[in-house]
Amino acid sequence: MHNADISFARVLGVVEMTLCVDGVAVARTASPESVVRELQIRGGRELRLEGGLVLELPTTLKTLDMASGLAWSEPMAALKLIAACCDLGEIPIFSYPERRARPRAEATAIGMA
């Protein structure tokens, strides 16, 4: 992934985030978790918020503290997104198959008296 940018807009009272990669909108959602998942799928390492602050992914709580003092068009949405990016890590895109213990077949004693 080269350039990832996020912008915020209020649509019918709901804050909507638009994730653009290399100038092309790839996700439009109100969920910060959806943006984070899209960044994981695309292997994002940096995210630019509203053309200003550039975050290295995953972020830290120190970044969240620093960002809380900045003027955002939608402060709550921006801080929720940064907090969600703190949890971003090397997570596989597809979950591993479930591993449950299979019941063992009972051995039957045939011909034993």
Side-chain angles (χ1 to χ4, degrees), residues 64-107:
L64 184 61
D65 287 340
M66 189 246 340
S68 65
L70 299 176
W72 301 102
S73 63
E74 297 293 342
M76 184 59 76
L79 295 176
K80 281 183 175 181
L81 178 62
I82 294 169
C85 287
C86 289
D87 195 32
L88 179 71
E90 297 297 328
I91 298 173
I93 294 172
F94 300 103
S95 61
Y96 293 107
E98 195 172 313
R99 305 218 184 261
R100 291 187 181 174
R102 292 185 181 166
R104 294 184 182 176
E106 292 184 25

Side-chain angles (χ1 to χ4, degrees), residues 2-111:
H2 296 97
N3 297 320
D5 298 295
I6 196 87
S7 59
F8 303 97
R10 190 168 286 270
V11 179
L12 300 173
V14 176
V15 177
E16 189 175 80
M17 294 173 269
T18 303
L19 176 66
C20 294
V21 176
D22 293 332
V24 178
V26 295
R28 186 168 286 132
T29 180
S31 167
E33 291 80 13
S34 296
V35 172
V36 169
R37 189 67 173 155
E38 191 67 33
L39 289 168
Q40 284 177 325
I41 291 169
R42 296 177 180 274
R45 294 290 173 233
E46 287 187 350
L47 177 65
R48 180 182 310 271
L49 278 83
E50 294 188 322
L53 180 66
V54 177
L55 304 175
E56 284 187 24
L57 303 174
T59 60
T60 63
L61 291 176
K62 184 178 178 181
T63 305
L64 184 61
D65 287 340
M66 189 246 340
S68 65
L70 299 176
W72 301 102
S73 63
E74 297 293 342
M76 184 59 76
L79 295 176
K80 281 183 175 181
L81 178 62
I82 294 169
C85 287
C86 289
D87 195 32
L88 179 71
E90 297 297 328
I91 298 173
I93 294 172
F94 300 103
S95 61
Y96 293 107
E98 195 172 313
R99 305 218 184 261
R100 291 187 181 174
R102 292 185 181 166
R104 294 184 182 176
E106 292 184 25
T108 57
I110 299 176

